[in-house]
Every structure is written in structure tokens, then in C-alpha cells.
Amino acid sequence: EYNNRCEVKNVNSMKFARQAIDYEAKRQIKIMEQGGTVSQNTLNFNPDTGATTPLRSKEDAPDYRYFPDPDLPPVLISEKEIETERDQLTILPWEFESEVVEKYAISKADAKIISAEPAVAKYFLDYAQNFKRTKAFSNLLINKILPFCKEKNIPIDELALQHSQINDLLGLIEDNTVSASAAYQSLFEQMVYKPDLSALQLAEQLGLIQSSNQDELEQWLTEVITAYPDKVKAYQGGKKGLLGFFMGEIMKRSKGKANPKKTNSLLIKKLDS
């Protein structure tokens, strides 16, 4: 027959747990061999001596709380109920996460964020099923749309922008009509407040259209190169890292309008000539 249970407190390592078990086993065997009964107690363990001592007694087993509660009736769930619930389940978060990674080539880290909330997952899926710029869209969703919705306390499914409008915005970034920084920092928010205007119309109104005009680019390049002859000499002497400095200065003078790709190509030619 089993003895009464004893609960041991003050055990904070595996080493002390082994010591307490060894001590209790010997203590309880000795009591039984002498014809005694093990009292149902909560015991304190002393790590200095390896011994246990009574803290308080427990009269009834239910005091140990991990026993079944006699006041709670059993809950019986039929197989039919389980199947009904299973049939009503939509795709689970971890399943959706895997699908996003495999089907749309989204990183696992981004897919985890997208799949965390049903509304966000649906918002992404609504775009992905109709448009192809899924990687660019996931970046915009995570880095701009979600923070914006949180800041303005707007549920994402109530955002006053169609997915087609967002796709137009991504198109402007893709073809270098508008820089990514300008789109994220200015254009997106203006589109939310003026959804009746297209992304291109707003970009034109805000002066965000990047210039690929050869004459304009040449003028900005000449101004910067003329203003920093010492840095030009240093660049030509081997300090190619200064290219970023020149690009930064050109962007300042053009107020972000200079097309980065074309500007970079022209700048290298001009500095190396």
C-alpha cells in the first residue's frame, strides 16, 4: 500500500532534489519498518544538512490542489463535436506562415509577422492573390502600413486605400519614378488622406517625382563636384567610399528628385574622367 504523500519545499536545484528524495526515501522506510505511519506533511529541505523537517501538516489529499477537483463534473466531448469544430477551422497561423514563405518567397521573419493576426494575414493575402509585387508589398506592410495603423489607431481592414492604389505606389518605387524614402515618408500617408487621387497625381503635387533629365542631373553633379575639389582629388586618389558623400550632396541639392541609379552612373563617369 502507498504511504501518505509528503511535499518538500525549498528545493532549488537538481542536486538538492536528489538529496531530498534520498533522505525522504530512507526516512519513510525507517518509519514503516518500525511499524509507524508516514504523516501527510509539507516538509522543508535544508541544503546545509540534506535533511527534511515538517513545516505544516495536511489532513486531506485535496489540500494538494493538483488532485482532481471533486466539485467539477467531467466534460464529455463527442467525436462529432470535435469534427464539427475541425471543419470550421480556417488555416492556422503556422500553416499560413509556411504558405507565405513557399508561395510568395517572403522571408520567415516577415511571414511570422504577417501571419500573427488574422486581419493582417487577410490583408496580405488579398493583395497577393491579385498583384505580383508581394515582396515589396510585405516590406511596405511591415515597415509602414502596420506602424501607421498602430499610431493612428486605425484597424488595418478599415484603411482607406485599395490594394490597387498601393500597387501603383509600389510601381512608382520600382521604376524609380519616386524614391522609396519619399514614398514611405510622404506619399503613403498623403494617399491615405486623399484616396481619390492616384499615387502619381499626388507624387506630382508633392514634387516627389525623381528627375532623369540629363541637363538637370549634369547641373547638380557639376555644382557638387565644383564645391568639393579636395574630396574629388581624394576620390581620384583611391578613396572610393566618398562616392556616397557626393550622392548625398546631390540628393540634398535636388531635394531628393535626382534618379539615384542614373545619377550614380553619371557621377562615376564624371569623377573618373
Side-chain angles (χ1 to χ4, degrees), residues 12-231:
N12 56 15
S13 73
M14 294 301 295
K15 175 184 175 182
F16 293 155
R18 285 191 291 270
Q19 289 181 2
I21 291 168
D22 289 341
Y23 182 86
E24 270 301 292
K26 292 173 183 176
R27 183 183 75 85
Q28 293 187 25
I29 288 170
K30 184 177 179 181
I31 291 172
M32 295 299 292
E33 286 179 342
Q34 293 176 350
T37 301
V38 176
S39 299
Q40 189 166 275
N41 286 328
T42 295
L43 306 171
N44 176 64
F45 174 73
N46 187 329
D48 295 327
T49 64
T52 62
T53 52
L55 278 174
R56 58 185 175 273
S57 64
K58 288 184 178 286
E59 296 180 358
D60 300 307
D63 288 340
Y64 281 101
R65 296 308 173 193
Y66 50 75
F67 279 37
D69 191 321
D71 296 326
L72 290 178
V75 178
L76 303 178
I77 303 175
S78 69
E79 285 297 324
K80 183 178 179 181
E81 289 174 304
I82 293 173
E83 286 303 319
T84 298
E85 292 300 320
R86 184 178 285 121
D87 292 341
Q88 291 177 356
L89 281 176
T90 57
I91 188 170
L92 297 170
W94 49 90
E95 294 172 338
F96 183 78
E97 181 181 330
S98 298
E99 181 180 306
V100 167
V101 172
E102 294 170 11
K103 190 172 181 179
Y104 301 109
I106 305 300
S107 71
K108 287 186 177 180
D110 288 353
K112 194 173 189 68
I113 296 172
I114 292 169
S115 60
E117 296 289 339
V120 177
K122 183 179 184 303
Y123 191 81
F124 173 84
L125 200 57
D126 287 345
Y127 176 89
Q129 290 175 338
N130 294 285
F131 303 99
K132 296 181 179 180
R133 298 184 177 99
T134 50
K135 178 59 180 174
F137 179 75
S138 70
N139 288 334
L140 183 70
L141 175 61
I142 292 169
N143 298 309
K144 184 61 185 181
I145 298 177
L146 290 178
F148 176 82
C149 289
K150 183 177 181 181
E151 179 187 349
K152 305 298 183 182
N153 196 28
I154 302 173
I156 193 167
D157 51 5
E158 294 181 13
L159 193 63
L161 277 181
Q162 301 296 320
H163 284 96
S164 58
Q165 293 173 291
I166 295 177
N167 190 59
D168 290 343
L169 169 64
L170 296 175
L172 294 180
I173 298 172
E174 186 176 84
D175 62 18
N176 291 313
T177 301
V178 175
S179 69
S181 60
Y184 276 60
Q185 294 170 16
S186 303
L187 186 53
F188 170 78
E189 190 163 338
Q190 288 301 310
M191 287 175 64
V192 173
Y193 296 131
K194 299 178 181 178
D196 295 336
L197 295 178
S198 70
L200 181 59
Q201 288 173 322
L202 272 172
E204 290 172 341
Q205 283 187 12
L206 297 169
L208 301 178
I209 302 297
Q210 292 189 130
S211 175
S212 295
N213 182 281
Q214 185 84 14
D215 292 337
E216 280 189 319
L217 296 180
E218 288 281 357
Q219 180 183 341
W220 291 322
L221 263 67
T222 301
E223 288 176 2
V224 170
I225 288 174
T226 303
Y228 300 98
D230 54 333
K231 294 193 183 295

